[in-house]
Amino acid sequence: MTKSQKTNGQPQGLDIPVGAKLSLEVLGIDEKLSSALVGYAKGKYLVVQLPSLTEGGRDMLFQYLYSGNPVTVRYLKSGAVFGFRCEIIKYLFSPFPLLFLTFPLRVESFNLRRHRRIPCLLPVSAMIKEATYTGLMTDLSLSGCGVGLTIMRKYQPTIGVDDRVLLSCLVFGDHGQNNLHCLIKRAASDVGKLELGLKFTELPEASRQGILSYIQSAAAILEN
């Protein structure tokens, strides 16, 4: 996970929906704690669910939930991990188990992608539920790619996350060995077009070398 950008913290608001799942790292506790956002007062404090540990770890948990102890909070949004640092204000058991945290001054964004992604325009064909569509690959990495397919409205397939796609492209290898099995991770449709974010489920060595060679060549051109 590599840091992609920092955004200046603005006390007037946080882009986190109530109920969002949170990961808390409390100084002194090795285990990452699961929680959820209950609410916040802008520029003042956050309220989250009081994390729970196993029976044997509860005493350790409360030992470190003292006022002023640093906490790192992370959450997932639109394919990226966002995080910020804050401090514990206090915790309550009654009427509900809650943890109060100071409001962050800065939120950082972390890129989840493990591999470099290169923009491209490569002809592809995709088989989705026994139907084949043609289009262009718009970006490529060793873990997946983005494609835009041309589809007539009446032939628009019904798809969902983790549906399977068999994708063909010359960059994957020689004719007859240029197919890769993929899972749909993102989908958006418009008139006559379907845009997909795909994850490769397996990557044979020949395909890996073909993709890597293309990425390295394209990167050399883009960086000059």
Side-chain angles (χ1 to χ4, degrees):
M1 183 172 67
T2 57
K3 190 180 296 184
S4 62
Q5 65 179 5
K6 291 184 180 181
T7 54
N8 292 329
Q10 297 180 354
Q12 60 265 32
L14 273 179
D15 189 17
I16 314 178
V18 171
K21 300 298 182 183
L22 306 176
S23 174
L24 309 183
E25 296 179 23
V26 179
L27 184 63
I29 300 178
D30 294 333
E31 182 179 346
K32 291 183 180 180
L33 309 176
S34 298
S35 182
L37 181 67
V38 175
Y40 58 84
K42 295 178 181 179
K44 296 181 179 179
Y45 57 84
L46 302 176
V47 185
V48 306
Q49 293 177 356
L50 187 65
S52 60
L53 285 177
T54 58
E55 189 73 29
R58 288 181 181 176
D59 291 342
M60 179 185 67
L61 173 65
F62 299 132
Q63 177 183 349
Y64 291 101
L65 294 185
Y66 58 85
S67 177
N69 197 23
V71 179
T72 299
V73 179
R74 291 189 174 90
Y75 60 97
L76 182 65
K77 184 172 185 285
S78 301
V81 170
F82 291 83
F84 54 84
R85 293 176 176 83
C86 55
E87 296 180 355
I88 293 173
I89 297 176
K90 67 180 301 183
Y91 66 88
L92 299 174
F93 281 118
S94 179
F96 301 103
L98 300 172
L99 179 64
F100 288 77
L101 305 172
T102 57
F103 201 87
L105 296 178
R106 183 175 65 189
V107 175
E108 298 180 355
S109 173
F110 302 84
N111 193 347
L112 278 179
R113 291 174 178 157
R114 295 179 296 119
H115 300 115
R116 181 169 188 178
R117 191 166 292 258
I118 291 291
C120 61
L121 285 175
L122 299 171
V124 297
S125 65
M127 180 179 289
I128 306 174
K129 297 182 177 179
E130 307 303 323
T132 300
Y133 309 92
T134 60
L136 291 172
M137 182 186 298
T138 55
D139 59 69
L140 175 65
S141 79
L142 283 173
S143 57
C145 64
V147 300
L149 304 175
T150 302
I151 296 180
M152 295 178 63
R153 183 183 294 273
K154 63 179 179 179
Y155 297 121
Q156 188 86 13
T158 301
I159 57 175
V161 174
D162 287 340
D163 280 355
R164 295 185 176 275
V165 175
L166 183 63
L167 190 68
S168 299
C169 181
L170 289 178
V171 77
F172 297 156
D174 295 332
H175 184 69
Q177 296 179 330
N178 57 0
N179 299 323
L180 284 183
H181 293 276
C182 310
L183 295 178
I184 296 174
K185 292 301 180 181
R186 173 180 55 82
S189 60
D190 202 349
V191 178
K193 189 173 183 181
L194 178 63
E195 296 183 356
L196 300 176
L198 302 176
K199 176 184 177 181
F200 303 139
T201 58
E202 56 186 48
L203 194 59
E205 184 58 26
S207 297
R208 184 181 185 278
Q209 290 301 322
I211 293 172
L212 186 58
S213 176
Y214 179 86
I215 290 174
Q216 291 173 341
S217 299
I221 295 172
L222 292 172
E223 292 172 355
N224 286 338

